[in-house]
Amino acid sequence: MTPLIAVLFAILQGATELFPVSSLGHVVIVPALLHWPIDQASPSFLPFVVLLHVGTATALLLYFWREWWAMLAGLLGRGAPGEVDAQRGLLLRLVVATLPAVVIGFALKKPIQHLFASPEIAAAFLIANGAVLVIGERLRRRRAGNGFGIGQMTLRDAVIIGLFQCLAFLPGLSRSGSAIVGGLTRGLDHEAAARFAFLMATPVIAGAAVVEVPHLLHHAAAARGMFGTAVLAAIVAGVVAYLSTAFLMRYFRNHDRWALGPFAAYCALFGTLSLILIPFGA
């Protein structure tokens, strides 16, 4: 992998990890369409991807540092009683929402692993992702009221959002998009659903990187030659992820009506074009 391709791959991963358009689907489809010289079976590829995830998780941690700091203070009992209870409640809801991904992820990793190498399957699921986003918006419109914030969530809400997030184990279905849709179906407004989805993403992405650490160490010697390139790519992915988060939080704050519509249209169009072009090697 050349430094240029590594940086382009990092930009792709850093942006699509947070946008509700599926990073996994894009990192399978785009290299196939553009014929990027990426050998995903190479011993150095996994360490490269792990570092990209570290960069993305770091960006999320930096963007939401105030929320994480407040939750830590609440966990330690620092602050007014009402604030401590609120922060402990938020932390508990995040833990509960993350558990389904941990359990289901371990159960499904091997049975669906073969799907991750197929651009055609990823493109088909990308079209399905667009449908999920549209359904989420329609279900949200049927609920009374304008939506509520994270502080009004119940543990039941957290579990259901966590289950929605597990849709992303299929390549082409977006983790953030699925989680946001889950939040919308429970009555959250777009900004609150996005904020909770992005807070959930930090431990999920970081946890995925930690799980692969043994493999990273096993292939450390093979990856040593491209370590500098991988670090550069991780920094690029982190910067892009930070900017993407900032943009999306403002976007969802200012567009609380059919906010997922443009992303749904993009997924349907890009997925369809990919299915047409991939067989021809375009």
Side-chain angles (χ1 to χ4, degrees):
M1 188 187 305
T2 65
L4 176 60
I5 294 298
V7 169
L8 291 175
F9 195 91
I11 293 172
L12 179 67
Q13 198 274 337
T16 57
E17 185 72 52
L18 285 311
F19 277 76
V21 296
S22 177
S23 63
L24 183 56
H26 278 73
V27 299
V28 172
I29 295 170
V30 173
L33 284 175
L34 300 181
H35 302 290
W36 285 356
I38 297 176
D39 180 9
Q40 298 191 15
S42 169
S44 63
F45 183 74
L46 180 60
F48 173 76
V49 172
V50 170
L51 284 177
L52 292 187
H53 284 157
V54 170
T56 304
T58 301
L60 286 170
L61 189 61
L62 289 174
Y63 187 87
F64 292 108
W65 73 269
R66 290 182 179 85
E67 284 86 344
W68 288 109
W69 183 260
M71 281 185 275
L72 177 61
L75 185 64
L76 297 176
R78 297 180 179 178
E83 181 64 17
V84 168
D85 290 342
Q87 295 302 328
R88 287 179 175 176
L90 174 56
L91 184 59
L92 177 60
R93 290 192 288 274
L94 286 171
V95 171
V96 168
T98 304
L99 287 177
V102 176
V103 176
I104 296 176
F106 277 110
L108 293 182
K109 184 177 180 179
K110 289 185 178 180
I112 66 174
Q113 196 169 20
H114 66 284
L115 298 177
F116 292 80
S118 172
E120 292 84 359
I121 291 178
F125 276 116
L126 196 61
I127 298 172
N129 185 70
V132 169
L133 299 182
V134 170
I135 291 170
E137 289 286 11
R138 289 188 178 276
L139 290 176
R140 191 245 173 173
R141 291 187 68 192
R142 292 179 182 178
R143 298 182 69 91
N146 296 319
F148 54 81
I150 293 177
Q152 298 169 270
M153 285 177 56
T154 66
L155 289 179
R156 177 184 174 85
D157 294 332
V159 170
I160 292 175
I161 293 172
L163 290 172
F164 265 88
Q165 179 179 234
C166 293
L167 292 173
F169 287 119
L170 297 173
L173 293 184
S174 166
R175 190 211 61 78
S176 62
S178 298
I180 291 172
V181 167
L184 294 180
T185 64
R186 300 309 300 164
L188 292 174
D189 59 43
H190 283 91
E191 182 187 5
R195 184 175 297 275
F196 192 75
F198 294 157
L199 287 172
M200 288 170 62
T202 308
V204 170
I205 297 173
V210 169
V211 167
E212 300 296 348
V213 165
H215 302 286
L216 176 67
L217 296 176
H218 179 71
H219 297 301
R224 192 172 301 158
M226 64 171 296
F227 181 75
T229 300
V231 170
L232 172 63
I235 294 172
V236 171
V239 171
V240 173
Y242 187 94
L243 294 176
S244 298
T245 305
F247 169 80
L248 287 169
M249 289 308 301
R250 176 175 294 186
Y251 172 80
F252 286 121
R253 187 179 305 120
N254 297 327
H255 300 80
D256 197 40
R257 183 177 177 84
W258 280 98
L260 296 178
F263 303 110
Y266 165 80
C267 289
L269 179 60
F270 184 63
T272 301
L273 287 175
S274 298
L275 283 177
I276 295 172
L277 295 175
I278 289 171
F280 295 98

